[in-house]
PDB file of all heavy atoms in Angstrom:
ATOM      1  N   GLY A   1     -16.276  -2.953  -0.156  1.00 93.00           N
ATOM      2  CA  GLY A   1     -15.177  -2.017   0.014  1.00 93.00           C
ATOM      3  C   GLY A   1     -15.384  -0.758  -0.816  1.00 93.00           C
ATOM      4  O   GLY A   1     -16.231  -0.711  -1.709  1.00 93.00           O
ATOM      5  N   LYS A   2     -14.608   0.241  -0.484  1.00 93.00           N
ATOM      6  CA  LYS A   2     -14.660   1.507  -1.205  1.00 93.00           C
ATOM      7  C   LYS A   2     -13.240   2.019  -1.386  1.00 93.00           C
ATOM      8  O   LYS A   2     -12.486   2.136  -0.414  1.00 93.00           O
ATOM      9  CB  LYS A   2     -15.493   2.543  -0.436  1.00 93.00           C
ATOM     10  CG  LYS A   2     -15.585   3.896  -1.130  1.00 93.00           C
ATOM     11  CD  LYS A   2     -16.406   4.872  -0.299  1.00 93.00           C
ATOM     12  CE  LYS A   2     -16.476   6.235  -0.973  1.00 93.00           C
ATOM     13  NZ  LYS A   2     -17.251   7.209  -0.144  1.00 93.00           N
ATOM     14  N   LEU A   3     -12.866   2.308  -2.622  1.00 94.00           N
ATOM     15  CA  LEU A   3     -11.530   2.814  -2.897  1.00 94.00           C
ATOM     16  C   LEU A   3     -11.380   4.209  -2.299  1.00 94.00           C
ATOM     17  O   LEU A   3     -12.124   5.130  -2.643  1.00 94.00           O
ATOM     18  CB  LEU A   3     -11.286   2.863  -4.409  1.00 94.00           C
ATOM     19  CG  LEU A   3      -9.887   3.322  -4.843  1.00 94.00           C
ATOM     20  CD1 LEU A   3      -8.828   2.323  -4.402  1.00 94.00           C
ATOM     21  CD2 LEU A   3      -9.833   3.518  -6.347  1.00 94.00           C
ATOM     22  N   ARG A   4     -10.401   4.378  -1.386  1.00 93.00           N
ATOM     23  CA  ARG A   4     -10.192   5.672  -0.739  1.00 93.00           C
ATOM     24  C   ARG A   4      -9.085   6.462  -1.407  1.00 93.00           C
ATOM     25  O   ARG A   4      -9.213   7.669  -1.605  1.00 93.00           O
ATOM     26  CB  ARG A   4      -9.871   5.485   0.741  1.00 93.00           C
ATOM     27  CG  ARG A   4      -9.737   6.814   1.506  1.00 93.00           C
ATOM     28  CD  ARG A   4      -9.454   6.603   2.966  1.00 93.00           C
ATOM     29  NE  ARG A   4      -8.180   5.982   3.216  1.00 93.00           N
ATOM     30  CZ  ARG A   4      -7.019   6.638   3.258  1.00 93.00           C
ATOM     31  NH1 ARG A   4      -6.979   7.932   3.040  1.00 93.00           N
ATOM     32  NH2 ARG A   4      -5.888   5.988   3.523  1.00 93.00           N
ATOM     33  N   GLU A   5      -8.002   5.819  -1.768  1.00 93.00           N
ATOM     34  CA  GLU A   5      -6.899   6.565  -2.368  1.00 93.00           C
ATOM     35  C   GLU A   5      -6.039   5.652  -3.223  1.00 93.00           C
ATOM     36  O   GLU A   5      -5.977   4.438  -3.000  1.00 93.00           O
ATOM     37  CB  GLU A   5      -6.029   7.228  -1.291  1.00 93.00           C
ATOM     38  CG  GLU A   5      -5.251   6.242  -0.433  1.00 93.00           C
ATOM     39  CD  GLU A   5      -4.314   6.927   0.551  1.00 93.00           C
ATOM     40  OE1 GLU A   5      -4.502   8.126   0.786  1.00 93.00           O
ATOM     41  OE2 GLU A   5      -3.408   6.257   1.071  1.00 93.00           O
ATOM     42  N   VAL A   6      -5.407   6.263  -4.216  1.00 93.00           N
ATOM     43  CA  VAL A   6      -4.408   5.596  -5.056  1.00 93.00           C
ATOM     44  C   VAL A   6      -3.219   6.538  -5.148  1.00 93.00           C
ATOM     45  O   VAL A   6      -3.381   7.726  -5.443  1.00 93.00           O
ATOM     46  CB  VAL A   6      -4.948   5.279  -6.465  1.00 93.00           C
ATOM     47  CG1 VAL A   6      -3.859   4.635  -7.314  1.00 93.00           C
ATOM     48  CG2 VAL A   6      -6.159   4.369  -6.388  1.00 93.00           C
ATOM     49  N   SER A   7      -2.032   6.018  -4.882  1.00 93.00           N
ATOM     50  CA  SER A   7      -0.842   6.861  -4.918  1.00 93.00           C
ATOM     51  C   SER A   7      -0.639   7.430  -6.320  1.00 93.00           C
ATOM     52  O   SER A   7      -0.809   6.723  -7.320  1.00 93.00           O
ATOM     53  CB  SER A   7       0.392   6.049  -4.513  1.00 93.00           C
ATOM     54  OG  SER A   7       1.570   6.804  -4.689  1.00 93.00           O
ATOM     55  N   PRO A   8      -0.272   8.709  -6.425  1.00 92.00           N
ATOM     56  CA  PRO A   8      -0.041   9.290  -7.746  1.00 92.00           C
ATOM     57  C   PRO A   8       1.276   8.858  -8.383  1.00 92.00           C
ATOM     58  O   PRO A   8       1.488   9.079  -9.575  1.00 92.00           O
ATOM     59  CB  PRO A   8      -0.037  10.800  -7.465  1.00 92.00           C
ATOM     60  CG  PRO A   8       0.424  10.909  -6.049  1.00 92.00           C
ATOM     61  CD  PRO A   8      -0.126   9.704  -5.342  1.00 92.00           C
ATOM     62  N   ALA A   9       2.174   8.251  -7.605  1.00 92.00           N
ATOM     63  CA  ALA A   9       3.484   7.847  -8.117  1.00 92.00           C
ATOM     64  C   ALA A   9       3.689   6.357  -7.869  1.00 92.00           C
ATOM     65  O   ALA A   9       3.300   5.823  -6.825  1.00 92.00           O
ATOM     66  CB  ALA A   9       4.597   8.648  -7.445  1.00 92.00           C
ATOM     67  N   ALA A  10       4.298   5.689  -8.839  1.00 90.00           N
ATOM     68  CA  ALA A  10       4.546   4.255  -8.721  1.00 90.00           C
ATOM     69  C   ALA A  10       5.772   3.995  -7.859  1.00 90.00           C
ATOM     70  O   ALA A  10       6.687   4.817  -7.778  1.00 90.00           O
ATOM     71  CB  ALA A  10       4.743   3.642 -10.104  1.00 90.00           C
ATOM     72  N   ASP A  11       5.769   2.841  -7.210  1.00 91.00           N
ATOM     73  CA  ASP A  11       6.936   2.426  -6.446  1.00 91.00           C
ATOM     74  C   ASP A  11       8.103   2.218  -7.420  1.00 91.00           C
ATOM     75  O   ASP A  11       7.959   1.509  -8.421  1.00 91.00           O
ATOM     76  CB  ASP A  11       6.635   1.114  -5.702  1.00 91.00           C
ATOM     77  CG  ASP A  11       7.812   0.645  -4.880  1.00 91.00           C
ATOM     78  OD1 ASP A  11       7.932   1.065  -3.718  1.00 91.00           O
ATOM     79  OD2 ASP A  11       8.624  -0.144  -5.420  1.00 91.00           O
ATOM     80  N   PRO A  12       9.270   2.832  -7.165  1.00 90.00           N
ATOM     81  CA  PRO A  12      10.360   2.751  -8.144  1.00 90.00           C
ATOM     82  C   PRO A  12      10.907   1.342  -8.336  1.00 90.00           C
ATOM     83  O   PRO A  12      11.488   1.054  -9.384  1.00 90.00           O
ATOM     84  CB  PRO A  12      11.434   3.688  -7.556  1.00 90.00           C
ATOM     85  CG  PRO A  12      11.108   3.792  -6.097  1.00 90.00           C
ATOM     86  CD  PRO A  12       9.618   3.661  -5.996  1.00 90.00           C
ATOM     87  N   ALA A  13      10.732   0.462  -7.372  1.00 90.00           N
ATOM     88  CA  ALA A  13      11.266  -0.899  -7.494  1.00 90.00           C
ATOM     89  C   ALA A  13      10.231  -1.852  -8.085  1.00 90.00           C
ATOM     90  O   ALA A  13      10.500  -2.561  -9.054  1.00 90.00           O
ATOM     91  CB  ALA A  13      11.729  -1.393  -6.131  1.00 90.00           C
ATOM     92  N   ALA A  14       9.016  -1.854  -7.517  1.00 88.00           N
ATOM     93  CA  ALA A  14       7.997  -2.800  -7.955  1.00 88.00           C
ATOM     94  C   ALA A  14       7.163  -2.289  -9.120  1.00 88.00           C
ATOM     95  O   ALA A  14       6.465  -3.075  -9.771  1.00 88.00           O
ATOM     96  CB  ALA A  14       7.068  -3.144  -6.785  1.00 88.00           C
ATOM     97  N   ARG A  15       7.199  -0.977  -9.401  1.00 90.00           N
ATOM     98  CA  ARG A  15       6.396  -0.362 -10.446  1.00 90.00           C
ATOM     99  C   ARG A  15       4.909  -0.625 -10.236  1.00 90.00           C
ATOM    100  O   ARG A  15       4.157  -0.922 -11.161  1.00 90.00           O
ATOM    101  CB  ARG A  15       6.812  -0.848 -11.847  1.00 90.00           C
ATOM    102  CG  ARG A  15       8.281  -0.699 -12.166  1.00 90.00           C
ATOM    103  CD  ARG A  15       8.788   0.693 -11.885  1.00 90.00           C
ATOM    104  NE  ARG A  15       8.025   1.732 -12.568  1.00 90.00           N
ATOM    105  CZ  ARG A  15       8.146   3.030 -12.328  1.00 90.00           C
ATOM    106  NH1 ARG A  15       8.977   3.450 -11.386  1.00 90.00           N
ATOM    107  NH2 ARG A  15       7.434   3.902 -13.004  1.00 90.00           N
ATOM    108  N   THR A  16       4.474  -0.542  -8.994  1.00 92.00           N
ATOM    109  CA  THR A  16       3.059  -0.666  -8.645  1.00 92.00           C
ATOM    110  C   THR A  16       2.633   0.567  -7.875  1.00 92.00           C
ATOM    111  O   THR A  16       3.464   1.281  -7.303  1.00 92.00           O
ATOM    112  CB  THR A  16       2.802  -1.916  -7.799  1.00 92.00           C
ATOM    113  OG1 THR A  16       3.620  -1.865  -6.614  1.00 92.00           O
ATOM    114  CG2 THR A  16       3.108  -3.190  -8.577  1.00 92.00           C
ATOM    115  N   TYR A  17       1.324   0.814  -7.847  1.00 94.00           N
ATOM    116  CA  TYR A  17       0.766   1.977  -7.164  1.00 94.00           C
ATOM    117  C   TYR A  17       0.110   1.525  -5.857  1.00 94.00           C
ATOM    118  O   TYR A  17      -0.762   0.640  -5.869  1.00 94.00           O
ATOM    119  CB  TYR A  17      -0.273   2.668  -8.046  1.00 94.00           C
ATOM    120  CG  TYR A  17       0.313   3.321  -9.277  1.00 94.00           C
ATOM    121  CD1 TYR A  17       0.545   2.587 -10.432  1.00 94.00           C
ATOM    122  CD2 TYR A  17       0.658   4.663  -9.278  1.00 94.00           C
ATOM    123  CE1 TYR A  17       1.092   3.177 -11.564  1.00 94.00           C
ATOM    124  CE2 TYR A  17       1.211   5.268 -10.400  1.00 94.00           C
ATOM    125  CZ  TYR A  17       1.418   4.520 -11.539  1.00 94.00           C
ATOM    126  OH  TYR A  17       1.962   5.110 -12.650  1.00 94.00           O
ATOM    127  N   ALA A  18       0.535   2.126  -4.753  1.00 94.00           N
ATOM    128  CA  ALA A  18      -0.059   1.803  -3.457  1.00 94.00           C
ATOM    129  C   ALA A  18      -1.479   2.374  -3.398  1.00 94.00           C
ATOM    130  O   ALA A  18      -1.717   3.512  -3.791  1.00 94.00           O
ATOM    131  CB  ALA A  18       0.783   2.376  -2.324  1.00 94.00           C
ATOM    132  N   ALA A  19      -2.416   1.554  -2.929  1.00 94.00           N
ATOM    133  CA  ALA A  19      -3.814   1.979  -2.840  1.00 94.00           C
ATOM    134  C   ALA A  19      -4.410   1.469  -1.540  1.00 94.00           C
ATOM    135  O   ALA A  19      -3.919   0.509  -0.941  1.00 94.00           O
ATOM    136  CB  ALA A  19      -4.618   1.470  -4.039  1.00 94.00           C
ATOM    137  N   ARG A  20      -5.493   2.116  -1.097  1.00 95.00           N
ATOM    138  CA  ARG A  20      -6.194   1.733   0.120  1.00 95.00           C
ATOM    139  C   ARG A  20      -7.683   1.567  -0.201  1.00 95.00           C
ATOM    140  O   ARG A  20      -8.294   2.454  -0.810  1.00 95.00           O
ATOM    141  CB  ARG A  20      -6.018   2.792   1.203  1.00 95.00           C
ATOM    142  CG  ARG A  20      -4.603   2.881   1.785  1.00 95.00           C
ATOM    143  CD  ARG A  20      -4.242   1.656   2.603  1.00 95.00           C
ATOM    144  NE  ARG A  20      -2.967   1.771   3.278  1.00 95.00           N
ATOM    145  CZ  ARG A  20      -2.830   1.957   4.592  1.00 95.00           C
ATOM    146  NH1 ARG A  20      -3.893   2.076   5.362  1.00 95.00           N
ATOM    147  NH2 ARG A  20      -1.634   2.026   5.131  1.00 95.00           N
ATOM    148  N   VAL A  21      -8.249   0.440   0.226  1.00 95.00           N
ATOM    149  CA  VAL A  21      -9.680   0.155   0.066  1.00 95.00           C
ATOM    150  C   VAL A  21     -10.299   0.059   1.453  1.00 95.00           C
ATOM    151  O   VAL A  21      -9.911  -0.802   2.256  1.00 95.00           O
ATOM    152  CB  VAL A  21      -9.908  -1.155  -0.718  1.00 95.00           C
ATOM    153  CG1 VAL A  21     -11.404  -1.478  -0.779  1.00 95.00           C
ATOM    154  CG2 VAL A  21      -9.331  -1.039  -2.120  1.00 95.00           C
ATOM    155  N   THR A  22     -11.230   0.946   1.762  1.00 93.00           N
ATOM    156  CA  THR A  22     -11.890   0.945   3.064  1.00 93.00           C
ATOM    157  C   THR A  22     -12.877  -0.217   3.148  1.00 93.00           C
ATOM    158  O   THR A  22     -13.673  -0.441   2.228  1.00 93.00           O
ATOM    159  CB  THR A  22     -12.634   2.268   3.287  1.00 93.00           C
ATOM    160  OG1 THR A  22     -11.698   3.341   3.223  1.00 93.00           O
ATOM    161  CG2 THR A  22     -13.332   2.282   4.635  1.00 93.00           C
ATOM    162  N   VAL A  23     -12.835  -0.956   4.251  1.00 94.00           N
ATOM    163  CA  VAL A  23     -13.772  -2.065   4.477  1.00 94.00           C
ATOM    164  C   VAL A  23     -15.014  -1.497   5.149  1.00 94.00           C
ATOM    165  O   VAL A  23     -14.942  -1.002   6.280  1.00 94.00           O
ATOM    166  CB  VAL A  23     -13.134  -3.165   5.343  1.00 94.00           C
ATOM    167  CG1 VAL A  23     -14.103  -4.331   5.500  1.00 94.00           C
ATOM    168  CG2 VAL A  23     -11.815  -3.633   4.734  1.00 94.00           C
ATOM    169  N   LEU A  24     -16.132  -1.549   4.459  1.00 91.00           N
ATOM    170  CA  LEU A  24     -17.373  -1.022   5.004  1.00 91.00           C
ATOM    171  C   LEU A  24     -17.966  -2.009   6.010  1.00 91.00           C
ATOM    172  O   LEU A  24     -17.992  -3.221   5.767  1.00 91.00           O
ATOM    173  CB  LEU A  24     -18.374  -0.745   3.878  1.00 91.00           C
ATOM    174  CG  LEU A  24     -17.873   0.205   2.770  1.00 91.00           C
ATOM    175  CD1 LEU A  24     -18.937   0.381   1.702  1.00 91.00           C
ATOM    176  CD2 LEU A  24     -17.469   1.552   3.354  1.00 91.00           C
ATOM    177  N   ASP A  25     -18.450  -1.485   7.133  1.00 87.00           N
ATOM    178  CA  ASP A  25     -19.083  -2.309   8.177  1.00 87.00           C
ATOM    179  C   ASP A  25     -18.150  -3.404   8.668  1.00 87.00           C
ATOM    180  O   ASP A  25     -18.564  -4.559   8.883  1.00 87.00           O
ATOM    181  CB  ASP A  25     -20.394  -2.918   7.668  1.00 87.00           C
ATOM    182  CG  ASP A  25     -21.388  -1.853   7.244  1.00 87.00           C
ATOM    183  OD1 ASP A  25     -21.422  -0.785   7.888  1.00 87.00           O
ATOM    184  OD2 ASP A  25     -22.121  -2.086   6.263  1.00 87.00           O
TER     185      ASP A  25
END
């Protein structure tokens, strides 16, 4: 996988950052 993006702001309820990992091939 390859990290494509990480949200700059945390979710106000869960206090986690949404991120996307691209699946190669």
Side-chain angles (χ1 to χ4, degrees):
K2 180 181 179 182
L3 183 65
R4 184 179 65 83
E5 68 175 17
V6 178
S7 173
D11 181 88
R15 307 309 305 170
T16 57
Y17 292 84
R20 290 291 186 107
V21 176
T22 301
V23 183
L24 304 179
D25 301 325

